[in-house]
Amino acid sequence: MAKPTPITAVKGFRDVLPEESARWRALEDAALRVFGRYGYGEIRVPVVERTELFARSLGETTDIVEKEMYSFADRDGTGLTLRPEATASVVRAYLDTGLANRDPQTRLAYRGPMFRRERPQKGRYRQFHQIGVELFGRDDALADAELLMMLMEYLAVVGARDTRLELNSLGDATCRPVYRERLRAFGEAHRAALCGDCLRRLERNPLRLLDCKVPGCRAVLAEAPLMRDSLCAACAEHFAAVRALLRAAGVAFTEAPRLVRGLDYYCRTAFEVVAGGLGAQNAVGGGGRYDGLVAALGGPDVAGIGFALGVERLAMATAPAAAAGPTVVTVLPLEERAVEAAFRLAAGLRAADLAVVVEAPGRSLKALLRTADRRGARLAVLLGADELAAGRATVRDLVAHADRKGALPLDGTPAALAASVRALLAGPAGT
Ligand code: AMP
């Protein structure tokens, strides 16, 4: 029979191995801890939603909805989509679960996988992971400033390198339509120099012209009118108040008058955080205010603001934490007879909060020790005929290369085992 060919992961989807997932966990734990100090609790929303949710929330003209969603028909014909982001789901849950009525001013944090059929490259995947927050029911500048303060505090806590907060205001329903028309008129006047995508954006969503990465378009748009100069009095005042509060709190930022968010529902405060060492995909996170979204999804007229951070990029932007994992112990039954005692001893050691692996007997001691070493084991517990007879195991310190005969009682309580192991790790090695 022909040897079956191995099945590989789908393009843009990847596996996260233990070392990397330990870092992700640390990043997620720190996020929930820091956000918790600001009153955010974790919400877990489904990975699949009705396609309509994203079509309505993100807008039909966004890249995500136009070409990046993993959508499929359920067996009963319902249109479903793997979530490309979580804000829409969190808003849906806020309405669906009655939170909007019970507790209109709600702070929620989330983490989990998102799916977008983008062109994969370093730092850009088709399944990626985000940590984010949403704050409902606040439309004041203090809410924006506090959210940004929390974001930057988190990035400092996890040690993200060379971060820069870029800040803009996108105006609101009063002033943005006026600006959009000014920008459209500017684009029309420069049609000949724009790329095909921009010509389409011109018709459907002119703000996205500012997002274009094509050098020709960028050169033209360098001269384009800016939202900053078209803000209505209320938006200008809100933006000024956010900046003043950030300055007062010592949160550094730069103004980014060309920053627009890809998603249609943002208004007023919009921001992105870029970090060093990430290459072309240097945004670790972004977000902004979306005051019309809850109402657009059938809820009350409640304001909202939030952000999302990319976990893959956070991991690249932060130094790996010092490996402070548990002490690893390998238990080596040197003959078949010792397996049962090895099992019991391992259970006792685990109850003492040590990470324990029991090897199968049958290989040479040298080979077993080499495996233990490769696993990063600090101690090897040897169980041969002598140890069984004495009722005490020998412990080899794999770093100090020293044996302690009879160091561990085979029938010790977890507390006694933990004490013996601590003494072994602390004391001078001998035989
Ligand atoms: P967005 O939801 O587009 O505002 O993205 C927020 C953050 O999620 C970005 O700043 C990235 O860090 C991360 N992100 C977005 N798309 C991807 C992707 N395809 N692969 C990896 N990370 C992503």
Side-chain angles (χ1 to χ4, degrees), residues 220-292:
V220 171
L221 288 157
E223 304 298 322
L226 297 173
M227 184 71 233
R228 178 169 72 186
D229 304 318
S230 295
L231 293 177
C232 63
C235 285
E237 193 185 319
H238 183 96
F239 193 30
V242 172
R243 286 174 295 172
L245 284 165
L246 289 177
R247 285 195 196 101
V251 177
F253 63 91
T254 53
E255 286 186 48
R258 273 163 224 289
L259 185 150
V260 288
R261 300 284 303 160
L263 311 181
D264 280 352
Y265 50 71
Y266 285 106
C267 65
R268 291 196 169 171
T269 306
F271 53 90
E272 208 159 81
V273 180
V274 298
L278 296 187
Q281 304 297 319
N282 67 346
V284 280
R289 180 163 277 294
Y290 49 80
D291 290 350

Side-chain angles (χ1 to χ4, degrees), residues 12 64 68 84-87 110 114-131 261-263 265-266 271-273 278 281-287 307-314 316:
I64 293 183
E68 294 173 0
E85 55 102 48
T87 300
Y110 63 84
M114 310 293 158
F115 305 86
R116 294 182 199 170
R117 203 171 192 291
E118 297 189 84
R119 196 168 50 78
Q121 64 186 82
K122 179 168 179 256
R124 200 207 269 161
Y125 311 97
R126 291 180 169 180
Q127 176 179 334
F128 60 97
H129 298 75
Q130 288 186 336
I131 302 172
R261 300 284 303 160
L263 311 181
Y265 50 71
Y266 285 106
F271 53 90
E272 208 159 81
V273 180
L278 296 187
Q281 304 297 319
N282 67 346
V284 280
F307 62 75
L309 295 156
V311 178
E312 287 82 355
R313 295 192 199 168
L314 272 175
M316 289 195 280

Side-chain angles (χ1 to χ4, degrees), residues 15 32 91 119 123-124 131 133 186 188 210 220 255 290 380 413 415-416:
D15 305 298
L32 294 173
V91 173
R119 196 168 50 78
R124 200 207 269 161
I131 302 172
V133 302
F186 175 88
E188 288 293 352
L210 298 170
V220 171
E255 286 186 48
Y290 49 80
T413 61

Side-chain angles (χ1 to χ4, degrees), residues 124-161:
R124 200 207 269 161
Y125 311 97
R126 291 180 169 180
Q127 176 179 334
F128 60 97
H129 298 75
Q130 288 186 336
I131 302 172
V133 302
E134 313 295 347
L135 162 57
F136 297 110
R138 288 279 299 267
D139 63 3
D140 53 305
L142 174 60
D144 303 31
E146 198 180 65
L147 183 107
L148 290 166
M149 194 170 140
M150 175 176 87
L151 167 60
M152 299 315 284
E153 181 182 327
Y154 168 66
L155 292 171
V157 163
V158 297
R161 287 180 291 250

Side-chain angles (χ1 to χ4, degrees), residues 35-396:
F35 302 164
R37 294 205 288 257
Y38 284 79
Y40 290 78
E42 187 184 9
I43 182 171
R44 301 208 181 202
V45 282
V47 167
V48 171
E49 298 278 2
R50 290 170 202 280
T51 300
E52 196 191 339
L53 176 68
F54 302 112
R56 267 165 68 182
S57 65
L58 302 178
E60 302 279 0
T61 62
T62 50
D63 279 356
I64 293 183
V65 174
E66 275 184 346
K67 52 189 186 199
E68 294 173 0
M69 294 206 304
Y70 283 96
S71 299
F72 56 96
D74 199 355
R75 286 171 193 271
D76 65 2
T78 313
L80 300 179
T81 292
L82 294 182
R83 64 178 183 201
E85 55 102 48
T87 300
S89 302
V90 175
V91 173
R92 183 204 44 70
Y94 173 70
L95 298 174
D96 228 6
T97 60
L99 263 181
N101 297 324
R102 278 200 311 282
D103 192 10
Q105 204 193 102
T106 299
R107 292 169 167 81
L108 297 168
Y110 63 84
R111 56 174 155 175
M114 310 293 158
F115 305 86
R116 294 182 199 170
R117 203 171 192 291
E118 297 189 84
R119 196 168 50 78
Q121 64 186 82
K122 179 168 179 256
R124 200 207 269 161
Y125 311 97
R126 291 180 169 180
Q127 176 179 334
F128 60 97
H129 298 75
Q130 288 186 336
I131 302 172
V133 302
E134 313 295 347
L135 162 57
F136 297 110
R138 288 279 299 267
D139 63 3
D140 53 305
L142 174 60
D144 303 31
E146 198 180 65
L147 183 107
L148 290 166
M149 194 170 140
M150 175 176 87
L151 167 60
M152 299 315 284
E153 181 182 327
Y154 168 66
L155 292 171
V157 163
V158 297
R161 287 180 291 250
D162 305 331
T163 54
R164 192 172 71 243
L165 171 61
E166 301 192 331
L167 192 62
N168 196 15
S169 173
L170 300 179
D172 65 5
T174 309
C175 52
R176 191 156 47 175
V178 179
Y179 170 67
R180 187 184 290 128
E181 284 320 304
R182 285 183 63 199
L183 189 59
R184 191 198 303 277
F186 175 88
E188 288 293 352
H190 296 83
R191 277 190 83 90
L194 297 179
C195 72
D197 276 346
C198 277
L199 292 177
R200 263 191 308 135
R201 291 178 183 129
L202 203 51
E203 304 306 322
R204 306 180 65 176
N205 190 355
L207 243 61
R208 303 262 339 278
L209 290 173
L210 298 170
D211 249 355
C212 188
K213 302 282 184 288
V214 175
C217 297
R218 289 177 79 126
V220 171
L221 288 157
E223 304 298 322
L226 297 173
M227 184 71 233
R228 178 169 72 186
D229 304 318
S230 295
L231 293 177
C232 63
C235 285
E237 193 185 319
H238 183 96
F239 193 30
V242 172
R243 286 174 295 172
L245 284 165
L246 289 177
R247 285 195 196 101
V251 177
F253 63 91
T254 53
E255 286 186 48
R258 273 163 224 289
L259 185 150
V260 288
R261 300 284 303 160
L263 311 181
D264 280 352
Y265 50 71
Y266 285 106
C267 65
R268 291 196 169 171
T269 306
F271 53 90
E272 208 159 81
V273 180
V274 298
L278 296 187
Q281 304 297 319
N282 67 346
V284 280
R289 180 163 277 294
Y290 49 80
D291 290 350
L293 180 63
V294 179
L297 290 177
D301 187 14
V302 173
I305 181 167
F307 62 75
L309 295 156
V311 178
E312 287 82 355
R313 295 192 199 168
L314 272 175
M316 289 195 280
T318 51
T327 302
V328 178
V329 178
T330 296
V331 178
L332 306 177
L334 299 177
E335 48 189 87
E336 206 55 51
R337 269 191 318 137
V339 167
E340 221 180 282
F343 244 63
R344 273 201 311 274
L345 184 60
L349 290 167
R350 289 191 191 105
D353 211 23
L354 294 156
V356 185
V357 173
V358 184
E359 291 296 338
R363 285 187 294 154
S364 71
L365 180 60
K366 200 169 144 202
L368 288 167
L369 288 173
R370 215 179 306 122
T371 307
D373 219 28
R374 213 174 33 239
R375 278 218 186 87
R378 172 70 205 276
L379 300 175
V381 177
L382 312 183
L383 274 174
D386 291 353
E387 284 78 12
L388 284 180
R392 299 186 74 89
T394 297
V395 176
R396 175 166 298 185

